[in-house]
Amino acid sequence: MRVGDRAQPNGYSIIEVFAAILVLGSVISVAVNLIEDPRETTKKYKLESDVRALNAAVAVYRVFGGSLDSVTDPQDILDKLKTIGDLDTLRQMAGLTGTMIDRRLMAEMQTDAEAAALGPRAVWDPTAHRFILAYSGAKGVKSFVLDEAAALETVVGENRAELMRLALSDSWIWDYSEGLLGNGAAPTTVITVDPDDEGTTTPPLPPTSGPLLPPLFTKITGSYPITSFNLLLDFIDPNPPGMSQVRYSINSSVWTVYTGVPVSVPADAVVRAFAESIDVAWTDSVEAMHTYNAFTVQLAKPVIVADASKFDFAVNDINVDVINPNSGSISYLEYRLDPAAAWSAYTGGLKLKPLDYTLGVTVEARVVPTAAYYAESAPGTLFLEGPDGISLTVPEISFSDTNFSGTISSITVTITESNPSGSADIYYQILPAGAGVATGFSEYSNPFAVNEVDYPDGFSIRAYSKAAVAPYIDSDYNVQSTGSYFGTDLNTGGMVGRIYDLKRYADGSSTFMETQGDDPYNQVFYDAIKAMTPEITAGTVWGLDPLYLRQYYSAAKALYGSRFSTPQLTSSGNPELMGVESVVSPNYLVMHYAGDFSPQNPGFYRFSGRADAVLQVWIDGRLVLTANQAADEVASDFPWTDKPDWESYFAADDDNNWGNAPDNLKYTPVAGPWVYLEGEHRIDIVVGEETGDFHMNLRVEEQGVTYADGAQVFTTRPLDTAEESQVSASFSWSTPGTSAPPAFQLR
C-alpha cells in the first residue's frame, strides 16, 4: 500500500442520503400533481390560501381586543371578523377598529356526504384560535365565497378589550391591561402611577389638541342591487364628544352637517366625509371616502288573472287582467295573444270573445323597464281553453212510403233540419239493405226519389248536419230505413232477427202443412212454437231453443228490429215489412229476434202486450211473456193471462182496434210476471203469423213508474219524430208514451 492512500467506504454519506431523499420527494411531488384532478388541486390550494389569510385576520382581530372564546361555528367566526369597534372602543383604541375581512365573505359548509368522503376542509380549532386544514373527520368549510347580498347587512359594533387603550381614568396617556393573547383569561387591570411620584398621583390629562380622527361609515364600498337604493347611510364620529361634527358630501355636492338622521345615497354615488373641528385646539380630520355602485336586477314577472279558464259560448266573454308587481315608476306592461305578434302596451282589462278563440289562446305578458339597472322580466303566461262547439241538431228523414211493394216502385225521401239559418248544410248517403255498396255523402238540396230497381232489398238513409260556420260542430247521424213499423235499422240499436217459413224445410221442400186443413195446420204451427220451449214446469218456462227453427226455410236477408208495434195489416204486409215478400209467402211465418241489453235502472220490470197471432219474450232463456192471440190453444202451456194496466185503453166497439166485444178475451192484452233485472241480459222475441190479418203491440214497464198510457212502448233506442208519428198513427185508441227514453239499451 502506498503512503497516503485511504480505504474507500462501503456505504453512502449522510449528505448523499439527504440528497437522494430530496430528489425522490421532488419526483413523488410531480407524480402526485400529475395524478390529481387539476380542478380539485386548484380548490385545495385556494382553500389553503384562504385559511392562511383568515388566520392572519384572526390574529390581528385578537391583538386589537377582539375575543373568539365563545365562538365555534365557522360562519360566526367570520361574522365576528366583520364587526367594528363601538363608540367607546373608537374613543380609546389607538389601533385597528374596523372590519378585518370583506363583508361579503361567507363560509360554504360541506354536506354530510361530502364530509364522509376524504377531501380538504377548513375546521375551526377553538383551542388554538385558528382555522386548520383537515381531510377527514367533522364537517367543515369546503370553500369561502363572496355573497353580494351579505354586503347589505348593517355593520355591527362591539366593545373590544385592547391591552393598550387611551387613558380616561387618570393622567397617563394609556390605560394598560396585562394579559396573554389567547389564554382566554380576563385581562388584569394595572393601576398606572408616575414612577417618580412616591406618594399621591395626579391623573394624566387626555390629549387636548391635534388632528381629529375621520368618521366611520356604516356601509362600506361595494356593489349593491339597484332595489336597495337609495341606501341609508350613517356615520360614526370616533372623536371625544364636543370636539367635532361630521360633514359629508355626495357626488361632490355641498358639504352637509350630519345630524344623526340616516343619509339617502343614490346609485353609483361617491360619499366623502370628515370630522370637522368645533374646538380651535383640534384640526379637521382627513377625508374618508366610500363608493356605492349598483348592479342590474331583473324585474318580477307579471301576474295574469282571468274570471274563467275556458271559453263558453253561453257566457260569451272572458275578462283578463294583468298585474305589475313592480313599481309603475320604473316599468310598464306589454302583452300579446299570438306568439308571432308584436307586443302591445297594456292599458287595462282585456275582453276576449269565444268566437275569436275557438281553439283557445295563450295570454302572454311582460314587464319592460323604464329606469337604469333594471332588466326586462321573464314572461308570464296563462292559457285559456277553447270552447266546446255547439252541436247541431240531427236532420229529420221522412219517406213517402214505408217500403217497396207491388204498386210502389219509388220512394221519395225528404230531409229537413232546424238549426239556425246559415249554420249547417245537410249531407246524406244511401245504404242498400241487401247486396250493394253504400253511396258517398252528397249535399242535400231537394227531396229525391229512391227506386226499387236500384235497391230491391230496401235501403236506409244516413244523414247529418254539417257545420258551415264556427262555433257549430257536426251533428250525429240520423238513420231511417224502409220497413219502419219494425224500426228496421241496420246501424243503431236494432235487434238482429231472421224470418222462417214453416211451410217449407230448409232445403225448400214442402212440409205438407197446407194439405192438412186449417185445424191440423194451426196445430202444427203452435206445436212448432211450443217445441222451442223444451222445459215447462210449475208455470215457469225455461230453455228457449231457437235452433229448432233452423229446420225450416229462412230468407237470407237478416232483420233488424228496434220496436214491435204495428197497426192492423193484411198478412201480405208482413213479408213486405221485412223486405222478403219475393221469397216468403205471407202466412205461417215465425220471426226470431235476439240481442243483449242492460236496463237503464236496476229494478223489477214486466212485459205486456198482445199480437195476432204470436208474441213471446224471453229473458236469459226464461219465458216472461206469452201474448198470443189464440190464448185458448196454448193456455195450458202458457198460463199467464193477467190484464195489464193499459188494457182499459181499448175501445171494445171499435173495429179498427183490437176486438169487437168486451168478452172476446183473445184480443185482451196480457202481462207477464215482474222480473228483477240488473246488468247485462239476453233477450229473445218471437213473432208469428198464421194467416189473415196481422198486428201486435209490445210494451214494457218499470215497477213503481207511472206512464201516460199505462206502459211504455218497447223500443231499444229513442224514437225520432217520424217514428213517433208512425207508432202514434198505428193506434187510434191511444197516443203511445214515446217521449220516455227506452227501458233497454241494446249493445
Side-chain angles (χ1 to χ4, degrees), residues 411-466:
I411 295 176
T412 300
V413 178
T414 303
I415 309 176
T416 59
E417 53 93 10
S418 57
N419 296 293
S421 177
S423 63
D425 298 311
I426 297 175
Y427 279 79
Y428 73 94
Q429 68 175 156
I430 305 174
L431 299 90
V437 179
T439 66
F441 277 98
S442 302
E443 185 174 0
Y444 175 84
S445 56
N446 294 296
F448 59 91
V450 179
N451 299 315
E452 182 179 16
V453 65
D454 298 321
Y455 299 94
D457 296 325
F459 63 93
S460 295
I461 299 295
R462 175 188 287 171
Y464 72 99
S465 298
K466 181 178 179 62

Side-chain angles (χ1 to χ4, degrees), residues 132-470:
I132 60 173
L133 202 63
Y135 289 85
S136 62
K139 186 188 300 184
V141 179
K142 65 179 179 181
S143 64
F144 293 95
V145 297
L146 295 180
D147 184 355
E148 296 294 340
L152 300 177
E153 299 176 2
T154 302
V155 177
V156 177
E158 67 171 358
N159 188 279
R160 296 179 182 172
E162 189 181 11
L163 297 180
M164 298 289 290
R165 300 169 70 94
L166 294 172
L168 293 179
S169 60
D170 53 32
S171 60
W172 285 68
I173 296 176
W174 303 104
D175 278 343
Y176 176 70
S177 297
E178 189 178 63
L180 296 175
L181 286 176
N183 62 4
T188 301
T189 302
V190 178
I191 301 176
T192 58
V193 298
D194 186 348
D196 297 329
D197 189 350
E198 298 178 355
T200 61
T201 61
T202 302
L205 296 175
T208 58
S209 63
L212 295 167
L213 296 173
L216 300 175
F217 291 51
T218 55
K219 288 184 171 62
I220 62 174
T221 293
S223 294
Y224 299 83
I226 187 63
T227 51
S228 65
F229 287 92
N230 286 347
L231 289 175
L232 295 180
L233 176 65
D234 285 293
F235 303 97
I236 300 174
D237 188 349
N239 299 291
M243 299 298 178
S244 60
Q245 63 182 10
V246 175
R247 283 188 178 270
Y248 67 91
S249 172
I250 301 176
N251 291 334
S252 300
S253 63
V254 176
W255 289 97
T256 304
V257 175
Y258 172 67
T259 62
V261 177
V263 175
S264 179
V265 180
D268 296 334
V270 176
V271 180
R272 294 179 297 158
F274 70 96
E276 181 183 39
S277 173
I278 56 175
D279 187 318
V280 295
W282 297 88
T283 58
D284 295 346
S285 74
V286 298
E287 292 181 8
M289 183 180 72
H290 286 275
T291 302
Y292 303 97
N293 295 319
F295 59 82
T296 299
V297 297
Q298 187 178 34
L299 293 167
K301 71 178 182 180
V303 178
I304 306 173
V305 294
D307 58 7
S309 60
K310 180 176 180 177
F311 287 101
D312 187 335
F313 289 109
V315 177
N316 197 18
D317 296 341
I318 289 183
N319 297 301
V320 178
D321 290 298
V322 184
I323 301 170
N324 185 357
N326 308 280
S327 171
S329 63
I330 60 170
S331 62
Y332 68 94
L333 289 167
E334 290 185 337
Y335 78 96
R336 62 184 178 185
L337 304 175
D338 182 345
W343 291 92
S344 301
Y346 176 80
T347 57
L350 307 175
K351 283 187 176 293
L352 308 182
K353 298 183 178 298
L355 279 173
D356 296 332
Y357 304 101
T358 56
L359 300 179
V361 64
T362 297
V363 181
E364 189 176 8
R366 67 181 181 181
V367 183
V368 181
T370 58
Y373 296 107
Y374 288 98
E376 179 184 297
S377 74
T381 59
L382 177 65
F383 177 71
L384 302 176
E385 189 177 349
D388 294 330
I390 301 177
S391 296
L392 295 165
T393 58
V394 296
E396 295 185 357
I397 306 170
S398 61
F399 297 153
S400 59
D401 291 281
T402 59
N403 215 334
F404 298 122
S405 65
T407 59
I408 300 173
S409 60
S410 178
I411 295 176
T412 300
V413 178
T414 303
I415 309 176
T416 59
E417 53 93 10
S418 57
N419 296 293
S421 177
S423 63
D425 298 311
I426 297 175
Y427 279 79
Y428 73 94
Q429 68 175 156
I430 305 174
L431 299 90
V437 179
T439 66
F441 277 98
S442 302
E443 185 174 0
Y444 175 84
S445 56
N446 294 296
F448 59 91
V450 179
N451 299 315
E452 182 179 16
V453 65
D454 298 321
Y455 299 94
D457 296 325
F459 63 93
S460 295
I461 299 295
R462 175 188 287 171
Y464 72 99
S465 298
K466 181 178 179 62
V469 295

Side-chain angles (χ1 to χ4, degrees), residues 530-570:
K530 288 186 285 186
M532 297 174 60
T533 60
E535 182 179 350
I536 304 174
T537 59
T540 301
V541 182
W542 297 90
L544 173 67
D545 183 17
L547 296 179
Y548 177 85
L549 297 175
R550 297 292 176 88
Q551 62 181 306
Y552 298 107
Y553 178 82
S554 173
K557 178 182 177 181
L559 310 178
Y560 300 89
S562 59
R563 67 183 185 277
F564 298 87
S565 297
T566 69
Q568 185 163 315
L569 304 170
T570 61

Side-chain angles (χ1 to χ4, degrees), residues 499-504 508 510-511 513-514 521 525 553-555 570-576 578-591 688-692:
I499 187 170
Y500 296 93
D501 184 355
L502 301 189
K503 301 184 297 297
R504 289 184 288 172
S510 174
T511 61
M513 294 176 66
E514 294 173 293
Y521 185 35
F525 175 77
Y553 178 82
S554 173
T570 61
S571 59
S572 62
N574 202 353
E576 289 182 0
M578 308 302 172
V580 294
E581 69 275 11
S582 61
V583 293
V584 176
S585 58
N587 53 4
Y588 299 101
L589 306 174
V590 173
M591 290 148 281
E689 168 57 21
E690 297 174 271
T691 185

Side-chain angles (χ1 to χ4, degrees), residues 23-42 44-45 48 135:
V23 170
L24 288 174
S26 299
V27 171
I28 292 171
S29 176
V30 170
V32 169
N33 286 333
L34 289 174
I35 294 171
E36 288 186 18
D37 186 340
R39 292 172 297 180
E40 294 301 320
T41 302
T42 301
K44 182 179 71 174
Y45 287 159
E48 291 176 350
Y135 289 85

